[in-house]
Amino acid sequence: MAGKLEQKFAEEIFRKAQTKRSSFIGELTGSGAVSAADLAHTLSQAFAVPLIDLDAVDLQRLPKGLLDSKICQDYRLVVLGKRHNRLIVATADPSDQQSVEKIKFATQQSVDWVIAEYDKLLKMVSSNAVTATESIENIVGNDFEFDDLVSEQVIDASNTSASEVDDAPVVKFLQKMLVDAFTLRASDLHFEPYEHNYRVRFRIDGELREVASPPIAIKDKLASRIKVISKMDISEKRVPQDGKMKLKIGPDRVIDFRVSTLPTLFGEKIVIRILDPSSARLGIDALGYEPVEKERVLQAISRPYGMILVTGPTGSGKTVSLYTCLNLLNKPGLNIATVEDPSEINLPGVNQVNVNEKAGLTFAAALRSFLRQDPDIIMVGEVRDLETADVAIKAAQTGHLVLSTLHTNDAPSTLTRLRNMGIAPFNIASSVIAITAQRLARRLCPNCKTVIDIPPKAMLEAGFKPEDLKGDWKPYHPVGCSACNNGYKGRVGLYQVMPISEEIQRIILRDGSALDIADQARREGVSTIREAGLYKVKMGLTSLEEVLAVTNE
C-alpha cells in the first residue's frame, strides 16, 4: 500500500474480513493502520480513477431512482449522476467486480467509478437511507395510530420487493393516505412516480389536489404493498392490472376500494377509487333533484317495464343515481340483477355480475343469461354497442324494467345516439320511457361564501331570463376557509329529466333530429342542464362560474 502497510498485516486483515464477511476496505480503515483519506488517494492513483470529496456533495441534489437503494447499502455506493448509458458511482473499492455486475444486471448500464473516502461514503449511504424513512414518518406524523385502519387480509411482508425503506413506514404511510382520503371525502387517490419525484394526489369535489410528496425510493415497495392487498400479481409490472380491497375503518365501518395499476416510464402509477356503499343509501332527496324532476324519476321507476337511461360524462354521478333508484326498488318481492364493468357499489339483495371479456362474459352475454333467470329489474352498467343495446331494448319490451347509462351530452341527443347505433326508431319509441342527463357541480361552502354583484347583462348572457333577475336574491362567490376546498365543499347534481311523451315518440318514429326532440321537450316543461344549474345559483348552492364551467358544451 504505497509502502505504508506491511504485506503480512494486510493479509491478516484480508482473512479477517473474509471470516466476518465484511469489507476489506472497512476493516483496513477501522484497524487504524491507514487513514481513509490516504487509502482513497492511493486507490485513485493505482486505478487511475478520479477522487471526490463527498463533503462537497449536496445529498438533496443527488439523482433519485437510478439504482436500487438496497444495492447502494449492501455495496456501500452512492450514485452521483448519469451520462448517456453510464452511471457515475462513488465507491471506496474500485476492485469490487461483484458490485459492477450487480449494477449492470439491475440497470442495464455500465459503471464509471469515482473514489471516495470510506468513512464519508458510509455516512452518506446511511444518511440517504434515513432520509427516505424519515420523510415518510414526517408525512405520517406521530399522532397516527398504526391500527386505525385494519386490512381484512394479513399481509406477508416477505412478498414485497426490497428497498431501503422499512415495511412499517410504508404500511403506515399507505394507511394514512387511505384514511385521509376518506376523511377529506376524496373519490380517488393517485400515486404517481416520475423521474426525480413521487407525488400523491386526491380528487376532492372533482378536482385533483396534491397532498404528499414521499421519497421516490418508496415507489416499488408501495406498489407491491398495494398489489398484495388487492390480490394482484406483484411480479407483473409490464401490463395494467385491476383489483379490489376491503378495509375496515372503526368497529362497524367497511370501505371498498377499487385499484388500478398502469405501467409508466418511471414505475407503476396506481389509482385507487373509494367505493362508499352508503352513498347509494342517502336517498333521492340527497342527490339534488328539484321536486318536478324527482316526481318524474319516481314515476319512471314505478313503471312495470321499459328502459330508463342516465347520461352524462365520466364522473358525473350516474352510478350513484342508478343505485339510488335500485335501492328504492330493492324489495323482497322483486328479482334485481345488474351487470357492470366492474361493480362499484355492493347492494345486498341485488344479484351483481362483473363483466369478464376474457371468459366471454360480455354485457350482451350477461343480459341474455339474465332473461333466463326470471328477472323483474335489470341494470346494465353501460350501453356500449349495438348488440348490448338490442338485447336491452328487447328486455324492456318483454316486461322488464331496464336501467342503463349512455355517454351523451343531454337527454334529447341520447335518442339520436341510439338511432345512430343501429336501433330501429319503432324499437326506441316503444321501449325508452325516460332519460336523465346529469352533471355534478361543486357546492359552495356555507361558512365562507359571500355575495357578489354580477352585471345584469352578464347574467342574461349566462342564460337567466329577465324575470329571473327580479327579487332581492344575489349570487354567491367562493372565498375559501379551513373547512372547505377553495370555497367549495361537496357537490350538487344538475339534472335534466325527460319523460318520453307520445309527441316525442312520434318525433322518434318519423326519425326527427335531436333539435326537434329538444324543442318538444322544452314545450313540455323539461329544463336544460344549464337552466337547472342557474336555478342552483339562484338558490345559493353553487356559483355562476362553476355552472358555466360544468355546462359549457
Side-chain angles (χ1 to χ4, degrees):
M1 189 62 65
K4 297 182 179 179
L5 188 66
E6 294 182 2
Q7 181 177 350
K8 184 178 179 181
F9 185 65
E11 290 174 353
E12 182 181 332
I13 292 178
F14 181 74
R15 285 194 296 271
K16 183 179 179 182
Q18 282 191 318
T19 303
K20 294 171 62 178
R21 294 187 177 180
S22 59
S23 165
F24 171 64
I25 301 293
E27 293 291 339
L28 193 58
T29 55
S31 68
V34 60
S35 69
D38 285 343
L39 182 57
H41 184 75
T42 302
L43 290 173
S44 174
Q45 289 183 330
F47 286 89
V49 172
L51 181 66
I52 189 171
D53 182 4
L54 291 181
D55 286 341
V57 175
D58 184 358
L59 179 63
Q60 301 301 322
R61 297 177 68 91
L62 289 176
K64 306 293 184 184
L66 294 179
L67 181 61
D68 192 311
S69 53
K70 193 170 191 310
I71 296 177
C72 293
Q73 286 185 69
D74 290 345
Y75 294 95
R76 292 162 290 279
L77 308 171
V78 171
V79 180
L80 301 175
K82 181 181 177 183
R83 187 185 297 117
H84 303 301
N85 64 336
R86 305 184 72 85
L87 292 180
I88 303 169
V89 184
T91 182
D93 185 5
S95 65
D96 187 357
Q97 285 301 309
Q98 187 177 1
S99 62
V100 174
E101 295 303 321
K102 193 78 173 178
I103 294 171
K104 285 184 178 180
F105 180 79
T107 66
Q108 306 301 309
Q109 309 279 332
S110 300
V111 179
D112 285 339
W113 286 133
V114 175
I115 302 295
E117 296 170 35
Y118 185 77
D119 52 352
K120 294 179 180 179
L121 188 66
L122 276 185
K123 182 180 177 183
M124 181 164 282
V125 169
S126 176
S127 298
N128 208 15
V130 171
T131 300
T133 301
E134 286 184 344
S135 295
I136 303 175
E137 290 175 346
N138 289 337
I139 294 171
V140 172
N142 296 321
D143 58 342
F144 180 76
E145 292 297 328
F146 186 79
D147 292 327
D148 281 354
L149 189 69
V150 183
S151 171
E152 289 192 337
Q153 179 184 0
V154 178
I155 303 167
D156 182 4
S158 65
N159 286 337
T160 58
S161 63
S163 79
E164 93 286 5
V165 187
D166 295 333
D167 277 353
V170 173
V171 173
K172 207 171 182 180
F173 172 74
L174 175 60
Q175 291 175 337
K176 177 170 172 58
M177 289 297 100
L178 294 174
V179 169
D180 285 354
F182 179 74
T183 304
L184 293 170
R185 310 178 320 278
S187 60
D188 302 87
L189 299 84
H190 294 240
F191 297 87
E192 302 170 312
Y194 297 96
E195 186 172 8
H196 300 301
N197 66 298
Y198 193 76
R199 72 176 177 181
V200 181
R201 294 192 291 174
F202 293 171
R203 188 176 291 281
I204 302 172
D205 296 335
E207 285 195 336
L208 281 171
R209 190 205 308 179
E210 185 170 339
V211 295
S213 295
I216 195 170
I218 78 165
K219 65 178 183 180
D220 292 332
K221 179 76 76 175
L222 187 60
S224 294
R225 176 67 52 178
I226 293 171
K227 287 160 81 172
V228 165
I229 301 173
S230 307
K231 299 180 181 178
M232 299 184 200
D233 183 358
I234 64 171
S235 64
E236 181 56 79
K237 301 179 181 180
R238 301 165 298 173
V239 297
Q241 294 188 67
D242 294 299
K244 290 184 73 173
M245 56 183 176
K246 191 184 293 286
L247 297 170
K248 187 177 180 183
I249 300 178
D252 56 354
R253 190 70 185 270
V254 176
I255 303 298
D256 291 322
F257 298 89
R258 190 182 74 200
V259 185
S260 172
T261 69
L262 179 70
T264 66
L265 288 176
F266 305 105
E268 288 181 286
K269 177 183 176 180
I270 299 174
V271 176
I272 300 178
R273 166 70 57 90
I274 299 176
L275 309 175
D276 189 359
S278 63
S279 60
R281 302 189 183 96
L282 294 174
I284 195 166
D285 294 322
L287 297 182
Y289 286 101
E290 299 306 325
V292 175
E293 297 164 344
K294 174 185 171 184
E295 185 61 30
R296 288 171 179 163
V297 170
L298 292 176
Q299 283 182 356
I301 65 174
S302 65
R303 298 272 290 271
Y305 58 88
M307 175 181 279
I308 300 171
L309 292 170
V310 179
T311 73
T314 301
S316 60
K318 298 188 298 296
T319 301
V320 171
S321 295
L322 283 175
Y323 269 94
T324 301
C325 293
L326 288 179
N327 197 43
L328 292 172
L329 297 168
N330 191 12
K331 302 291 191 299
L334 293 175
N335 178 20
I336 304 176
T338 74
V339 54
E340 298 170 86
D341 186 19
S343 296
E344 294 188 359
I345 298 173
N346 180 28
L347 197 60
V350 175
N351 306 290
Q352 297 172 279
V353 175
N354 278 339
V355 166
N356 188 339
E357 299 279 355
K358 291 181 180 177
L361 183 57
T362 61
F363 279 112
L367 271 173
R368 290 191 185 93
S369 296
F370 286 173
L371 295 176
R372 295 190 289 270
Q373 291 275 318
D374 185 31
D376 296 297
I377 299 166
I378 297 172
M379 196 272 271
V380 186
E382 183 183 349
V383 176
R384 294 180 179 175
D385 50 44
L386 174 60
E387 186 183 16
T388 305
D390 191 47
V391 179
I393 281 178
K394 286 177 181 175
Q397 292 172 331
T398 54
H400 307 93
L401 184 64
V402 180
L403 290 78
S404 188
T405 69
L406 206 63
H407 288 278
T408 54
N409 291 328
D410 58 12
S413 62
T414 303
L415 295 169
T416 55
R417 171 74 190 281
L418 289 172
R419 184 72 187 91
N420 293 335
M421 289 175 67
I423 304 297
F426 64 87
N427 280 332
I428 299 173
S430 63
S431 60
V432 180
I433 58 176
I435 300 172
T436 298
Q438 65 183 64
R439 302 287 188 279
L440 285 179
R442 290 179 294 172
R443 188 189 294 266
L444 284 167
C445 174
N447 298 324
C448 64
K449 66 179 183 180
T450 58
V451 172
I452 183 174
D453 286 323
I454 300 177
K457 183 181 178 181
M459 301 277 277
L460 292 171
E461 289 176 351
F464 281 105
K465 298 172 184 175
E467 56 267 27
D468 293 333
L469 302 183
K470 296 176 181 178
D472 58 355
W473 71 275
K474 290 285 186 182
Y476 284 89
H477 181 70
V479 177
C481 64
S482 59
C484 66
N485 180 26
N486 298 324
Y488 296 98
K489 185 175 183 180
R491 291 195 282 182
V492 62
L494 312 180
Y495 300 95
Q496 178 188 32
V497 182
M498 187 180 78
I500 306 302
S501 63
E502 290 185 2
E503 187 56 40
I504 291 178
Q505 284 179 335
R506 291 190 187 98
I507 296 173
I508 296 169
L509 287 170
R510 64 172 182 260
D511 216 4
S513 67
L515 291 175
D516 297 331
I517 297 170
D519 289 340
Q520 179 60 32
R522 182 176 291 278
R523 285 192 288 270
E524 295 176 4
V526 176
S527 62
T528 64
I529 295 178
R530 170 67 65 88
E531 289 168 345
L534 295 177
Y535 183 76
K536 295 291 195 297
V537 172
K538 193 172 181 179
M539 297 295 292
L541 295 175
T542 188
S543 64
L544 182 59
E545 58 261 41
E546 177 69 6
V547 169
L548 294 178
V550 169
T551 62
N552 185 19
E553 296 168 354

